[in-house]
Amino acid sequence: MRHLSEYRDASLLRGLVARLQGATHRPYRIMEVCGGQTNTIVRYGLDQCLAPHVTLLHGPGCPVCVTPASYLDAARQLAMRPEVVLCSFGDMLRVPGSEGTLLDCKSAGADVRTLYSPLDALKLARSLPDKQVVFFSIGFETTAPLTALAVLQAAEASQPNFSVLCAHVTIPPAIFVILQSAEVQIDALLAPGHVCTVTGTQEYERLSLEFGVPIVVTGFEPADILQGVWSAIRCLEDARAGVIMQYSRAVTPEGNLQAQRLIQRVLTVTDREWRGLGVIPSSGLNLSPQFAGYDACRRFALRLESGSEPGGYCARVLRGNLAPCDCPKFLKECTAEHPLGAPMVSSEGACAAYMQYSRSMHPFGDLGGA
Amino acid sequence: MCLAVPGKIVSIESEGGITRCGRVEFEGVVREVNLSCVPESAPGDYVLVHAGVAIGRLDEGEAKRTLALLRELIESAREGGHEAS
């Protein structure tokens, strides 16, 4: 078992699609809150395989997209300091802040680098003792333990030239805001599988109970998504809520306790601004006071200023209120070459996925003729 | 961003808390991975790796159960049933 190709098997997918076609006669709207799942859905054309009255909505599941301009502006300020090497995940370099991107800083001579992991930033700091290496750390609960791990390793080694611009956010408070606002009718949710690998499912039980909405903890392969949608529809047909576990090979109800301990030890919960959603109480993670010495904002006396948020349409896309293809700017003023907003920049942004796969899309996308 | 790739642990290279690491194979490519969040993992185990760190172990039994459920779902459709779940 490779835990990958089994869930991409064309005959399996064909069978599942046939099953889903007749699964319900009612109109249902199901939201996923994970850019990886959005990508799979659009890449394999899964949304087009369902009965026409079943709609998949894309929520704020791309951490690059929801990171507010204020953090990008702070990262740009840091990058322009001569002693700083500013590192982050690749897509962060191309997302616009209030006045430009980190790549613009690089063009202006700043040392800005793409790294694969916060642990690589710590390695870089060891190899550049005369520089200050700052990792611009974004991501959901999947990524937060990695930042915690890097900071803890730095603290144990008393690494003096490593720090973190910490912009982590957590998913359940954002789901709460979206369900509470009722701006978008959502009948069921697919919960992000890898976030739940770390956190477990307790918070989702609470959300399901409070809003009476079924939540299916779902994986990332096409068969996972189709099974997740099937489970959601079954619950809705039976008028049941609760948390259903589709991704049981990777998620347990209690989650990864070791990773949770790392988060609790190094990070602390705070209110945080999200692009498209505003400030959400208790939705962010900062370095805890014990590790404040590794906080780039503190080390460089930076204040995070709330920036102007470009693109009102982007905000609606992030809330699931506007499908990328219904945005008046999509593929007109806003393209991969000239993105107007984060959802078009990030590889996990809904607009980028629509742009990349929609044009030549047929069911099962790049499985080809499946 | 939350992309995590399944890989098979080939060897444990070093024990020891937050620096525990091992070599993990992904479809023929072997990379070093931090294994501190999966302290009980051993060679032969499949782990989910996110940006160089294993965030969880994959449960072989659960994977088989999921695949069996998927097949059952399709079979029940062919037989004209509607109640598989």
Side-chain angles (χ1 to χ4, degrees):
Chain A
M1 194 172 290
R2 310 295 297 180
H3 298 287
L4 218 50
S5 51
E6 300 90 332
Y7 305 93
R8 296 176 186 175
D9 177 77
S11 71
L12 178 69
L13 297 181
R14 262 199 303 270
L16 286 169
V17 165
R19 193 77 172 99
L20 271 158
Q21 282 283 335
T24 181
H25 300 292
R26 299 196 181 98
Y28 290 132
R29 293 157 69 86
I30 302 169
M31 176 180 270
E32 90 278 353
V33 194
C34 173
Q37 291 171 340
T38 307
N39 199 283
T40 302
I41 288 166
V42 182
R43 176 176 179 177
Y44 290 93
L46 303 181
D47 46 348
Q48 303 194 338
C49 298
L50 305 174
H53 45 275
V54 175
T55 308
L56 299 185
L57 304 168
H58 318 302
C62 161
V64 172
C65 303
V66 302
T67 302
S70 53
Y71 273 90
L72 277 148
D73 297 343
R76 278 166 50 86
Q77 272 190 53
L78 284 170
M80 292 315 289
R81 296 177 72 108
E83 76 276 30
V84 166
V85 180
L86 196 286
C87 326
S88 193
F89 300 112
D91 286 345
M92 264 343 267
L93 273 54
R94 302 191 299 123
V95 177
S98 324
E99 285 169 19
T101 67
L102 280 164
L103 273 185
D104 296 336
C105 296
K106 193 179 165 93
S107 304
D111 194 343
V112 177
R113 305 189 191 190
T114 295
L115 288 182
Y116 169 64
S117 166
L119 294 178
D120 291 343
L122 183 57
K123 276 187 204 150
L124 187 66
R126 288 191 193 112
S127 71
L128 298 173
D130 300 331
K131 289 283 189 181
Q132 282 287 334
V133 174
V134 181
F135 191 76
F136 180 15
S137 209
I138 63 136
F140 299 134
E141 296 94 317
T142 319
T143 317
L146 282 60
T147 299
L149 199 55
V151 169
L152 205 55
Q153 287 187 4
E156 286 201 351
S158 301
Q159 189 69 35
N161 64 330
F162 172 78
S163 61
V164 171
L165 177 60
C166 191
H168 284 291
V169 288
T170 56
I171 287 279
I175 292 182
F176 180 89
V177 165
I178 284 182
L179 289 175
Q180 198 184 37
S181 84
E183 176 193 14
V184 180
Q185 182 215 325
I186 297 164
D187 300 304
L189 283 155
L190 305 185
H194 291 150
V195 165
C196 294
T197 298
V198 170
T199 63
T201 58
Q202 211 177 9
E203 292 286 322
Y204 299 86
E205 296 279 358
R206 252 182 240 139
L207 285 165
S208 177
L209 194 67
E210 180 157 358
F211 293 98
V213 167
I215 301 180
V216 187
V217 178
T218 305
F220 295 79
E221 297 305 320
D224 288 323
I225 303 274
L226 292 174
Q227 194 181 26
V229 172
W230 167 263
S231 299
I233 291 174
R234 289 312 313 165
C235 285
L236 291 167
E237 291 286 294
D238 298 344
R240 279 187 286 134
V243 168
I244 295 98
M245 188 75 90
Q246 184 279 325
Y247 200 33
S248 57
R249 64 187 183 279
V251 180
T252 59
E254 64 276 11
N256 184 328
L257 299 178
Q258 206 72 26
Q260 290 169 29
R261 274 186 219 115
L262 271 174
I263 295 175
Q264 283 155 12
R265 188 166 164 200
V266 179
L267 304 173
T268 182
V269 175
T270 181
D271 299 348
R272 178 66 42 81
E273 181 188 2
W274 293 52
R275 230 190 250 254
L277 293 167
V279 175
I280 303 180
S282 305
S283 70
L285 295 170
N286 265 350
L287 294 186
S288 62
Q290 193 196 337
F291 295 96
Y294 293 92
D295 182 345
C297 285
R298 188 172 136 146
R299 183 169 296 178
F300 299 97
L302 268 185
R303 271 190 55 215
L304 290 162
E305 309 275 357
S306 264
S308 64
E309 288 297 333
Y313 291 117
C314 299
R316 286 180 57 199
V317 168
L318 286 169
R319 295 196 299 268
N321 173 277
L322 181 69
C325 51
D326 294 334
C327 174
K329 294 183 190 284
F330 181 68
L331 299 187
K332 295 190 178 82
E333 295 104 302
C334 187
T335 62
E337 292 75 32
H338 299 286
L340 293 180
M344 182 57 98
V345 175
S346 169
S347 56
E348 291 193 356
C351 300
Y354 273 64
M355 166 115 195
Q356 192 177 352
Y357 302 115
S358 289
R359 297 295 99 183
S360 61
M361 198 155 64
H362 55 83
F364 309 144
D366 56 6
L367 281 180
Chain B
M1 263 307 299
C2 290
L3 178 74
V5 185
K8 189 179 189 177
I9 299 178
V10 179
S11 61
I12 307 293
E13 294 298 308
S14 78
E15 289 292 348
I18 59 171
T19 54
R20 182 175 198 259
C21 74
R23 289 163 63 74
V24 175
E25 190 225 312
F26 306 92
E27 309 263 315
V29 180
V30 177
R31 293 192 64 151
E32 189 167 289
V33 167
N34 181 295
L35 297 172
S36 59
C37 289
V38 285
E40 279 110 51
S41 59
D45 286 351
Y46 273 88
V47 285
L48 269 174
V49 179
H50 170 58
V53 177
I55 55 162
R57 272 161 73 182
L58 283 163
D59 185 317
E60 194 95 8
E62 286 295 332
K64 284 182 181 148
R65 207 177 65 88
T66 298
L67 287 167
L69 273 173
L70 284 166
R71 278 186 219 108
E72 197 179 298
L73 193 56
I74 295 168
E75 290 306 317
S76 67
R78 287 193 186 124
E79 288 156 16
H82 291 284
E83 290 310 312
S85 59

